[in-house]
Amino acid sequence: MVPDTTTSPRTGRQELLTALGEIEQRVLWLSAATIDHANHVRPNPTGLKVGGHQASCASMVSIMTTLWFHELTADDRVSVKPHASPALHAVNHLLGELPAGALETLRSFGGLQSYPSRTKDPDPVDYSTGSVGIGATAPIWGALARRYVEGRFPGAGTGRQYALLGDAELDEGACWEAVQDPMVAGLGEVVWIVDLNRQSLDRVVPALSAERLAGMFEAAGWQVLTLKYGEQLTELFSRPGGEALRTRLDTMGNPEYQRLLRCTPAELRDRLPGTGSTREPLERLVATLDDDALHSAVRNLGGHDLGALLDAYAAIDDTRPTVILAYTVKGRGLHSEGHPQNHSSLLTRDQIADLATRTGADLDDPWRPLPADSAAARLCAERAEELRRPPVGRIAPPPVPTDFGRTPGGTGTTQQAFGRALLDLSRSAPEAAARVVTVSPDVSSSTNLGGWLNKVGVWSPTERVDWFADDAETILHWRENPTGQHVELGIAETNLVGLLGELGATWSRWGQPLLPIGIMYDPFVNRALEPWQFGIYAGGQSLLVGTPSGVTLAPEGGAHQSITTPSLGLEQPGCTTWEPAFAQDTEWCVLAALSLLGRPDGGSAYLRLSTRPVDQSQAAVPADPAARERRRRQAVAGAYGLRRAEGTPDVTLAAMGAMVPEALTAADRLAGLGVAADVVCVTSPGLLFRATQARRGLDDAPQWVLDQAFPADRAAPLVTLLDGHPHTLAFLGTVHNTPVTPLGVTRFGQSGALDEVHRHHGIDTESVVRAALDLTHRP
């Protein structure tokens, strides 16, 4: 146990604990009543269970009460475990941030969300949670983002970053990837509070060991504070037989302990002493306790002891991350407490009425406020004033140019063009470039970021010596200092996109927009997709670059050949995707993506790039300024006509990314066979799909790109081609209801030369020509 060092400047310790106890009971009631109203009071014509997590809220009530009504400052931020959402709304209601009527809207359309949401809930939510592990790690990346912003654009302030998480959430590997990342060890403002209730969704966790968890955190450099027993049990341990009681509880398995919570006092007197050497002294100790004392002692854990929680907060070491392992009872104070299947159980009408009586609430007036003259009400009002945050004054991001005005020549890759675009941005638009921060999982040199890193340096909270600065053979200079604009994490893609989401939310948290770019190998984008899309849901705007991609990674084998990523733009809300074929298109798309970031009406973007060398003259970029601008607008909007056949085309070849050269060669071959082929370069299937939906009145996206890339008077059967799954472009046949043959990658890849691999997947020139001849019914 941590020492008792907490005092309150507002009132004496006991008076504070009494007021907190009243608030604790009201939070317990409000969270349970909010869920009860959603399931049993609000009309439900379908009869389907609305759901909620009364037990999961109850185990967090003491922790949340002490945090919000004593410990937090206005600069602090808290991520609340998803199933405690109603408890968060109860706290916000008591702080005057949520009207009583809103408590009746949990899980209704347009009402309070099932899980905390920064973008959809009407009351203050610091972090969106809902997917296990993501909410736990978000404050780590929030702390790092705040430090980055404060170091370059002062105003983000200080403050702790708390995560309230359940113990079962620690089963998620993303938590441990974050805990042990070298960048995290110095983040002393990070505090995790683990609701150690020893239950998961379906069962009591059979072998959870807080000691093992503590050792893992300590090995990563974290401070560990363990709150196992409350004041009552601690006092019992000092009595005759107390050491036997401690030994019995310490060595008891989790399922046996949970079963004790369901026992009557008579059953407790028989079960608690056990059968070993502790039985006799425990029987004597138990005999000295009346039924109420025995009943309360068994469940007197540190995570429900208000004083112990306050002492733990006072003992936090702000020089390193801290984890508080707070033992709790799931469903504490409810009729379902400790039951293995209480995760989503609901109180009956009799049970909710009994809870109202025990917590001093009114079942007929469930949202009745605390008595105005009570110490609890005064403390709520006082804390509301202390926690009130001033409105965030948002700075508009600097303008991003649309075109650098030069035309790349020779042979190059889109990955190379991306690296050049960042350097060109620093020369052409230094104010915008100053807002760029790149993040990668130890792949900077292999994704063409070397020039950018050499120019801007690597971010570190303190300056570090570059011991290879004077090595003549060193090409990539690793200069680490607080002014660097690149953040390098370990090889963990979930960490990268977690940080990316928080860097992309600084415009809304502190009014300071950043232009965050994450770079990873495209085959691993799917691994990172869930936390990245959750970041988008939470308002984080970023550019994710997947490179290299597709079967152009043939020499590395099938495991490194991405297949499904091209369709992200069709499927991911809040995200625009581009897969450019040429260096010029890459530049335009990068600039368009950056212009979306850091603004209330903005959004995220994904670029899929390649290491396949392409002759840049094939892009046929117009020399006339007006025609060049027209091409740029089309490329950014999703597609452009790269080559038009004379007269009416017999077939249209719509190709994307690294496969455009095959389409151009196929068009030449077809012309020799008397088949006229148009070639359309697709840069964004997602934008084209939105345009087709808008044509049907199902979206409000612009439609003009369809008229220019696929004009009605040139409608012809389509062959679509990409280095990815063919379904990505198959919808293009609906633009003019023409026949379509989609070509792409549907099988795991093979190692080999590129022409061999293209032939293996049926995306080589021969396959394109055959598909076109079949569509045009040529012999």
Side-chain angles (χ1 to χ4, degrees):
M1 300 293 288
V2 294
D4 178 0
T5 57
T6 299
T7 58
S8 171
R10 291 182 290 270
T11 182
R13 169 108 171 168
Q14 189 53 53
E15 288 80 2
L16 170 64
L17 293 177
T18 299
L20 287 174
E22 292 179 28
I23 296 172
E24 174 190 39
Q25 290 299 297
R26 186 53 57 100
V27 173
L28 175 64
W29 164 253
L30 288 173
S31 60
T34 297
I35 298 168
D36 180 74
H37 188 279
N39 286 272
H40 296 138
V41 180
R42 192 171 66 221
N44 182 9
T46 67
L48 296 175
K49 178 181 177 180
V50 176
H53 300 88
Q54 290 172 326
S56 295
C57 289
S59 63
M60 289 293 298
V61 163
S62 306
I63 294 169
M64 295 178 69
T65 297
T66 51
L67 263 185
W68 266 270
F69 296 95
H70 182 270
E71 187 63 22
L72 294 182
T73 72
D75 287 333
D76 296 338
R77 298 290 186 273
V78 188
S79 170
V80 178
K81 74 173 189 178
H83 293 156
S85 172
L88 175 60
H89 297 310
V91 166
N92 282 336
H93 170 65
L94 291 175
L95 291 172
E97 298 283 0
L98 190 69
L103 297 175
E104 300 179 353
T105 68
L106 179 69
R107 299 193 175 202
S108 65
F109 187 80
L112 298 177
Q113 299 301 296
S114 305
Y115 311 123
S117 172
R118 284 192 72 222
T119 56
K120 294 187 177 182
D121 275 320
D123 53 332
V125 174
D126 292 331
Y127 290 97
S128 295
T129 59
S131 187
V132 171
I134 295 176
T137 59
I140 289 177
W141 314 125
L144 204 155
R146 186 204 60 76
R147 288 197 181 199
Y148 183 92
V149 169
E150 181 63 21
R152 300 185 66 85
F153 313 104
T158 57
R160 288 176 179 166
Q161 299 277 341
Y162 291 88
L164 310 184
L165 62 150
D167 50 7
E169 210 162 350
L170 292 175
D171 290 343
E172 177 56 54
C175 291
W176 299 107
E177 288 180 350
V179 164
Q180 61 81 43
D181 193 280
M183 191 68 75
V184 173
L187 298 177
E189 63 268 45
V190 171
V191 180
W192 281 14
I193 304 177
V194 180
D195 173 14
L196 203 72
N197 59 50
R198 293 176 276 191
Q199 285 186 235
S200 61
L201 191 149
D202 294 323
R203 62 174 182 164
V204 176
V205 179
L208 176 68
S209 169
E211 291 77 14
R212 177 175 57 84
L213 292 176
M216 294 167 69
F217 279 104
E218 287 172 345
W222 288 50
Q223 177 192 24
V224 178
L225 302 174
T226 300
L227 300 182
K228 189 168 186 179
Y229 300 119
E231 182 180 353
Q232 183 183 4
L233 271 177
T234 302
E235 190 277 327
L236 286 178
F237 295 154
S238 66
R239 297 186 187 183
E243 277 305 312
L245 176 60
R246 183 193 292 272
T247 299
R248 172 80 170 116
L249 292 176
D250 282 346
T251 58
M252 185 181 295
N254 295 333
E256 183 182 5
Y257 171 76
Q258 295 287 110
R259 183 63 184 89
L260 293 181
L261 299 175
R262 309 295 299 169
C263 289
T264 64
E267 292 170 329
L268 272 177
R269 295 183 188 280
D270 177 59
R271 287 175 179 260
L272 181 58
T275 58
S277 60
T278 61
R279 182 170 183 85
E280 185 176 339
L282 274 182
E283 284 181 329
R284 290 196 297 269
L285 176 61
V286 166
T288 67
L289 304 176
D290 61 31
D291 285 353
D292 289 341
L294 180 60
H295 180 271
S296 63
V298 170
R299 49 195 34 82
N300 181 229
L301 301 181
H304 299 299
D305 190 298
L306 301 178
L309 286 164
L310 296 183
D311 294 342
Y313 304 149
I316 291 172
D317 175 6
D318 286 320
T319 66
R320 54 181 174 148
T322 295
V323 61
I324 299 174
L325 301 175
Y327 281 75
T328 61
V329 174
K330 191 165 185 175
R332 178 72 152 83
L334 306 180
H335 285 73
S336 61
E337 66 177 4
H339 194 281
Q341 281 86 53
N342 67 4
H343 180 77
S344 57
S345 65
L346 298 171
L347 298 180
T348 66
R349 302 313 299 155
D350 288 342
Q351 290 169 348
I352 196 73
D354 178 66
L355 180 64
T357 300
R358 287 189 288 110
T359 58
D362 185 344
L363 185 62
D364 296 323
D365 186 11
W367 323 124
R368 185 183 67 189
L370 291 164
D373 59 348
S374 67
R378 290 194 298 273
L379 180 56
C380 288
E382 188 177 333
R383 291 298 291 155
E385 188 62 30
E386 292 172 353
L387 294 176
R388 186 165 293 115
R389 297 170 184 164
V392 175
R394 292 175 182 166
I395 297 174
V400 176
T402 59
D403 191 341
F404 293 134
R406 62 173 180 80
T407 303
T411 299
T413 73
T414 55
Q415 178 176 290
Q416 292 169 339
F418 166 71
R420 278 198 306 270
L422 291 181
L423 292 175
D424 287 342
L425 183 70
S426 66
R427 289 187 286 265
S428 301
E431 289 189 6
R435 298 274 173 173
V436 171
V437 53
T438 55
V439 187
S440 73
D442 201 33
V443 293
S444 301
S445 58
S446 56
T447 54
N448 279 87
L449 279 183
W452 169 256
L453 261 67
N454 286 342
K455 183 173 182 62
V456 304
V458 178
W459 181 83
S460 173
T462 58
E463 187 162 358
R464 297 176 180 173
V465 175
D466 180 6
W467 293 104
F468 286 85
D470 58 349
D471 187 331
E473 296 183 7
T474 296
I475 299 174
L476 183 65
H477 299 288
W478 206 257
R479 301 191 313 274
E480 297 180 86
N481 55 66
T483 63
Q485 290 180 243
H486 175 77
V487 182
E488 187 90 356
L489 299 176
I491 304 177
E493 286 78 11
T494 54
N495 285 351
L496 178 143
V497 296
L499 175 56
L500 208 57
E502 291 307 317
L503 290 169
T506 60
W507 66 273
S508 60
R509 290 196 191 282
W510 302 293
Q512 290 288 355
L514 297 176
L515 308 181
I517 304 173
I519 305 96
M520 67 176 67
Y521 283 2
D522 195 68
F524 309 134
V525 165
N526 282 330
R527 181 187 299 174
L529 189 55
E530 186 213 359
W532 187 55
Q533 71 181 7
F534 205 84
I536 294 174
Y537 168 80
Q541 299 171 3
S542 62
L543 168 57
L544 181 62
V545 179
T547 183
S549 66
V551 300
T552 53
L553 276 165
E556 296 193 25
H560 280 77
Q561 297 173 20
S562 53
I563 296 172
T564 61
T565 51
S567 62
L568 285 181
L570 301 172
E571 300 153 0
Q572 177 57 53
C575 171
T576 303
T577 69
W578 286 280
E579 185 170 347
F582 301 106
Q584 184 63 78
D585 298 347
T586 304
E587 172 194 305
W588 288 335
C589 293
V590 167
L591 295 176
L594 293 177
S595 71
L596 297 174
L597 306 179
R599 52 196 343 119
D601 59 345
S604 293
Y606 161 68
L607 259 69
R608 189 177 191 253
L609 304 180
S610 171
T611 51
R612 184 187 186 185
V614 173
D615 179 1
Q616 298 303 308
S617 67
Q618 292 182 329
V621 179
D624 180 82
R628 178 188 176 96
E629 173 60 14
R630 183 173 184 268
R631 166 70 71 84
R632 186 199 68 81
R633 292 182 69 245
Q634 292 172 341
V636 169
Y640 58 88
L642 180 56
R643 183 184 296 180
R644 299 298 190 193
E646 293 186 11
T648 303
D650 300 305
V651 67
T652 298
L653 309 179
M656 185 167 73
M659 302 312 301
V660 169
E662 270 66 29
L664 291 170
T665 304
D668 292 337
R669 292 265 300 273
L670 289 168
L673 297 172
V675 178
D678 280 357
V679 178
V680 175
C681 181
V682 175
T683 54
S684 176
L687 290 176
L688 294 184
F689 181 74
R690 288 195 61 192
T692 62
Q693 292 290 85
R695 183 173 282 182
R696 299 180 179 91
L698 302 175
D699 203 318
D700 59 357
Q703 306 171 38
W704 61 265
V705 66
L706 297 178
D707 298 326
Q708 294 188 13
F710 301 96
D713 61 355
R714 301 189 69 82
L718 271 167
V719 176
T720 63
L721 177 67
L722 74 153
D723 185 356
H725 200 283
H727 82 83
T728 305
L729 299 180
F731 74 92
L732 290 176
T734 67
V735 173
H736 295 300
N737 295 319
T738 55
V740 59
T741 297
L743 302 180
V745 180
T746 58
R747 292 174 289 169
F748 288 117
Q750 298 287 334
S751 296
L754 198 56
D755 58 344
E756 295 174 316
V757 174
H758 283 178
R759 188 161 51 250
H760 171 74
H761 289 291
I763 55 176
D764 59 331
T765 299
E766 296 285 335
S767 298
V768 178
V769 171
R770 284 196 301 269
L773 293 176
D774 288 342
L775 278 174
T776 56
H777 306 291
R778 298 302 173 98

